[in-house]
Amino acid sequence: MSATEAQAPATAPTIEIEGLNKWYGAFHVLRDINLNVAERERIVICGPSGSGKSTLIRCINRLEEHQEGRIVVDGTRLTNDLKNIDAVRREVGMVFQSFNLFPHLTVLENCTLAPIWVRKTPKAEAEAVAMEYLERVKIPEQADKYPGQLSGGQQQRVAIARSLCMKPKIMLFDEPTSALDPEMIKEVLDVMVDLADTGMTMLVVTHEMGFAAQVADRVIFMDEGQIVEQNNPDDFFNNPQSDRTKLFLSQILSH
Amino acid sequence: MSDQAFHRSQAELLPERPPPTSTVGVIGWIRANLFGGALNTVLTLLSILLLYWSVPPLLDWAFFSADFTGASGSECTAEGACWAWLDQRIDQFLYGFYPQESYWRVNLAIILLFPALAFVLFDGLPYARYGRWYSLLYPVIAAILLVGGFGLEGVTTDKFGGFMLNLVAGLAGIVLSLPIGVMLALGRRSKLPIVRYLSVGFIEFIRGVPLITLLFVAIVILQLFLPPEVSLDQLVRVMIMITLFASAYMAEVIRGGLQAIPKGQFEAAQAMGLGYWQSMRLIILPQALKISIPGIVNTFIGLFKDTTLVIIIGLFDILGQARLLQTNPEWIGKVDHETFLLAALFFFVICFSISRYSIRLERRLDTNKR
């Protein structure tokens, strides 16, 4: 790693990744990743497509299995033990590029499903919490509609609210604005900025460099399955160290 | 294009207008759908001609020139259909050889069936919670009513017959083949190799063999493998085979539905901490089954019509009763068309109802409109 190590706070990290390696068949997608994330830290991960950034955050809630290395999330080590996996997933929320709302359930039902079935929250309480979060993402009036009736931006905000209803300690965002029409990107980013202001621990895979500059504590640049460079946003954008980072930044910031 | 046209901008948006009258209403519909072009017009006229040729003679045969009374075929002298047998024989077409004094038990079972079905098929009924328990209990109630027990006189299944037999076998098959099909479909997509191979093996074997062969196996060969003191009721064996046969097809229909669900749905469920079975039950299956409705209904209807194969164990369902009457010396040669027509009508009513219900259900479950 040629990167300048950003100084993590002294407290024990919420996410600890050590010597992580993953292969798809013979293809080596993640190569020797080491990453510690502190509580309340906001990390933006960027890099060219195929660089392994989505795979990396999908390893954190075990949507992808890793073959080598150690991942500890909130004190629980991810192994094949289903109990541990479920424990981690309860505390880690995820927002997907394609929203993945459940089309056969209303917005409100989407939000209450996991609290009711996973956390065993009483229905009335789960609905109250869901309305609170729908309020926060500014679409309480859509609660009884179905996802198919909402715009992309609204759907993604519902997806964020749905994750928050589980009261996660960590939120993962996998290119949350990449599938959106340009005029809807801002409404989703605004919600994410609000969320960052509440002190949520966030890992965001995105190409929205404005968002990175505004909220990130640390920007990580990945290429070919490796963390090439990481730094605070100021230095990352103004003073990139590696040539590949410079090339990448010139490509996405040139227009 | 001149610059002026290019820089056009509209000060006010155009108001809404109603559509032209020639495209709405009865006249609009007729113009668009019946005479919307040369070919369309020719087809419309041909269809009218065909109906003119076929419907009046059919009505004439079935009703206007038909005989409705008489004790035997020889008394049917009119040119049209002979319906005289209905009066004496309709009971056999409905109940087979079920003891006459116990017809009320069959009737009661059928009357009780309606609420049991309603609670499963329709939403928003009062007392739905208790109703569903009743629906779950209904098969037991029906079985007791039909075969006896609890103070009711026993009736052996070889007395079953007529359309009631088709209904019993068909409903049992429909109710059981769906859950079995779901399990087989999930099994076929399982990550566990043993579960997967067993499911694939079962599905491919059952689908690869004609149903009638399976029925012969169930009746003749199965007994060779069972201890002599165990004797499974013949009707039960046939019902099991028809059900398993339908399940294999059902599994493939549902597998198609499962494959249509994006992987992201399962990932989202997992990411929220739902387990495999919860994800399946709450997220994947509701969507997959909805997509599969046309195929599922297809299988149901096929299964229902396959119940006529009970004839190979010597039971006379409604089709068997038709054949029986056709060879009866008193009616021979007089009732061939009429009896088949009646049997066809009974099947059509049930199958068409299933089909209409499924269309209704598809509309209700469509969450993209509304």
Side-chain angles (χ1 to χ4, degrees):
Chain A
M1 274 203 312
S2 64
T4 327
E5 278 292 347
Q7 205 52 53
T11 51
T14 308
I15 302 173
E16 235 183 302
I17 299 173
E18 213 179 273
L20 172 65
N21 278 284
K22 176 172 173 59
W23 290 261
Y24 285 129
F27 178 55
H28 199 170
V29 265
L30 291 179
R31 304 182 199 173
D32 213 20
I33 302 277
N34 292 292
L35 176 68
N36 285 343
V37 181
E39 213 179 311
R40 304 172 77 89
E41 199 178 2
R42 297 167 312 231
I43 294 182
V44 164
I45 304 172
C46 57
S49 78
S51 60
K53 41 194 200 308
S54 288
T55 309
L56 171 60
I57 69 164
R58 286 162 61 90
C59 281
I60 293 172
N61 63 354
R62 193 73 172 191
L63 286 184
E64 303 283 352
E65 218 170 294
H66 60 278
Q67 282 98 10
E68 265 178 28
R70 208 168 74 99
I71 302 179
V72 181
V73 180
D74 192 33
T76 309
R77 183 166 174 192
L78 279 172
T79 57
N80 279 325
D81 188 343
L82 287 175
K83 245 191 209 146
N84 285 357
I85 295 175
D86 285 341
V88 166
R89 284 176 179 163
R90 276 197 294 274
E91 306 307 329
V92 178
M94 187 167 210
V95 174
F96 299 85
Q97 178 177 359
S98 50
F99 327 138
N100 294 347
L101 292 177
F102 306 132
H104 62 302
L105 301 176
T106 63
V107 165
L108 188 64
E109 288 166 340
N110 263 281
C111 292
T112 57
L113 185 94
I116 289 174
W117 290 94
V118 179
R119 289 235 193 263
K120 313 290 177 203
T121 315
K123 192 176 171 207
E125 192 187 323
E127 284 180 350
V129 170
M131 285 313 294
E132 200 177 296
Y133 282 111
L134 287 174
E135 208 96 40
R136 247 171 72 180
V137 300
K138 302 181 187 73
I139 33 176
E141 72 282 0
Q142 313 282 8
D144 293 323
K145 288 201 181 162
Y146 287 93
Q149 299 166 309
L150 305 184
S151 73
Q154 290 173 324
Q155 289 194 43
Q156 193 60 299
R157 284 185 283 150
V158 171
I160 294 172
R162 176 176 75 174
S163 287
L164 293 176
C165 284
M166 281 293 280
K167 310 234 159 129
K169 293 182 176 148
I170 301 160
M171 284 286 286
L172 308 174
F173 293 83
D174 189 0
E175 306 207 25
T177 56
S178 301
L180 295 175
D181 287 338
E183 78 265 27
M184 292 169 185
I185 290 177
K186 185 169 178 299
E187 64 187 59
V188 171
L189 289 180
D190 284 348
V191 166
M192 290 168 63
V193 172
D194 284 350
L195 183 63
D197 289 343
T198 65
M200 175 68 73
T201 309
M202 292 165 73
L203 274 89
V204 184
V205 172
T206 185
H207 293 138
E208 295 296 331
M209 291 303 127
F211 173 81
Q214 189 184 348
V215 305
D217 296 314
R218 184 159 36 139
V219 181
I220 293 178
F221 174 67
M222 283 183 75
D223 195 10
E224 293 184 21
Q226 302 156 57
I227 294 181
V228 175
E229 180 160 351
Q230 49 181 319
N231 213 331
N232 63 62
D234 261 359
D235 291 331
F236 180 84
F237 290 118
N238 299 326
N239 190 18
Q241 301 297 306
S242 104
D243 288 341
R244 277 184 291 180
T245 314
K246 287 175 193 162
L247 178 67
F248 176 75
L249 286 175
S250 74
Q251 279 165 343
I252 63 166
L253 296 177
S254 62
H255 51 145
Chain B
M1 195 188 299
S2 79
D3 249 14
Q4 268 174 334
F6 190 74
H7 284 291
R8 209 170 101 98
S9 85
Q10 218 160 301
E12 273 176 48
L13 294 176
L14 294 174
E16 262 188 58
R17 285 192 301 141
T21 43
S22 62
T23 62
V24 294
V26 180
I27 301 204
W29 186 89
I30 288 176
R31 266 176 65 154
N33 293 292
L34 298 182
F35 301 100
L39 181 65
N40 203 342
T41 307
V42 170
L43 287 176
T44 301
L45 293 177
L46 273 179
S47 307
I48 291 173
L49 205 62
L50 204 68
L51 289 175
Y52 174 74
W53 276 334
S54 59
V55 173
L58 188 69
L59 289 177
D60 186 56
W61 174 81
F63 298 110
F64 306 128
S65 311
D67 260 320
F68 288 93
T69 52
S72 74
S74 54
E75 290 177 38
C76 280
T77 48
E79 273 180 32
C82 177
W83 296 111
W85 52 276
L86 271 176
D87 191 38
Q88 313 174 7
R89 296 295 183 129
I90 188 69
D91 283 352
Q92 273 182 33
F93 272 74
L94 294 177
Y95 305 100
F97 304 112
Y98 206 83
Q100 207 155 12
E101 67 279 6
S102 299
Y103 279 175
W104 66 270
R105 283 158 58 176
V106 179
N107 296 341
L108 184 61
I110 288 173
I111 291 167
L112 290 177
L113 171 67
F114 286 105
L117 280 181
F119 281 118
V120 176
L121 299 183
F122 301 104
D123 264 350
L125 295 180
Y127 305 110
R129 176 177 290 221
Y130 308 103
R132 300 242 157 95
W133 282 108
Y134 164 71
S135 301
L136 213 61
L137 206 65
Y138 173 80
V140 181
I141 301 172
I144 292 170
L145 275 172
L146 292 178
V147 296
F150 292 92
L152 289 172
E153 201 181 326
V155 177
T156 49
T157 55
D158 58 341
K159 296 278 190 294
F160 284 26
F163 199 58
M164 155 238 175
L165 176 58
N166 297 109
L167 279 179
V168 168
L171 278 172
I174 284 173
V175 168
L176 291 172
S177 64
L178 186 61
I180 299 175
V182 168
M183 295 317 292
L184 285 171
L186 292 179
R188 188 160 191 170
R189 288 165 58 90
S190 169
K191 279 186 193 147
L192 311 170
I194 294 180
V195 174
R196 187 169 65 240
Y197 290 135
L198 281 178
S199 306
V200 172
F202 179 88
I203 292 169
E204 295 301 343
F205 173 73
I206 298 271
R207 280 202 310 169
V209 178
L211 176 54
I212 197 133
T213 314
L214 291 173
L215 292 178
F216 279 126
V217 168
I219 292 151
V220 184
I221 304 177
L222 198 62
Q223 197 59 53
L224 300 179
F225 298 101
L226 291 173
E229 63 274 14
V230 176
S231 158
L232 212 55
D233 185 275
Q234 294 246 314
L235 179 60
V236 171
R237 290 188 208 183
V238 168
M239 281 164 59
I240 289 174
M241 273 306 171
I242 292 177
T243 305
L244 291 183
F245 188 74
S247 303
Y249 283 87
M250 193 68 79
E252 289 298 278
V253 166
I254 293 168
R255 189 166 68 96
L258 288 171
Q259 276 170 347
I261 308 299
K263 203 169 158 234
Q265 291 287 310
F266 187 61
E267 286 179 350
Q270 291 214 297
M272 298 192 314
L274 292 171
Y276 174 83
W277 290 107
Q278 282 181 330
S279 308
M280 286 300 147
R281 189 162 71 81
L282 300 168
I283 308 299
I284 307 299
L285 281 173
Q287 297 183 57
L289 291 178
K290 184 179 105 181
I291 302 175
S292 314
I293 286 173
I296 292 174
V297 168
N298 224 358
T299 313
F300 278 168
I301 288 177
L303 178 151
F304 186 58
K305 292 188 295 185
D306 280 343
T307 59
T308 51
L309 288 169
V310 292
I311 199 146
I312 72 160
I313 51 167
L315 292 186
F316 291 93
D317 72 320
I318 193 164
L319 203 63
Q321 294 293 345
R323 290 248 166 104
L324 213 55
L325 192 68
Q326 286 160 15
T327 52
N328 183 316
E330 284 184 12
W331 299 96
I332 198 161
K334 290 283 187 182
V335 294
D336 292 6
H337 302 83
E338 293 83 343
T339 47
F340 278 147
L341 197 64
L342 183 80
L345 197 67
F346 270 95
F347 274 105
F348 178 77
V349 167
I350 300 288
C351 294
F352 189 64
S353 311
I354 296 176
S355 161
R356 295 317 296 180
Y357 173 77
S358 80
I359 289 171
R360 202 191 112 100
L361 188 67
E362 277 181 67
R363 280 212 201 105
R364 186 164 65 81
L365 295 179
D366 185 0
T367 54
N368 281 322
K369 289 190 218 155
R370 286 207 269 194

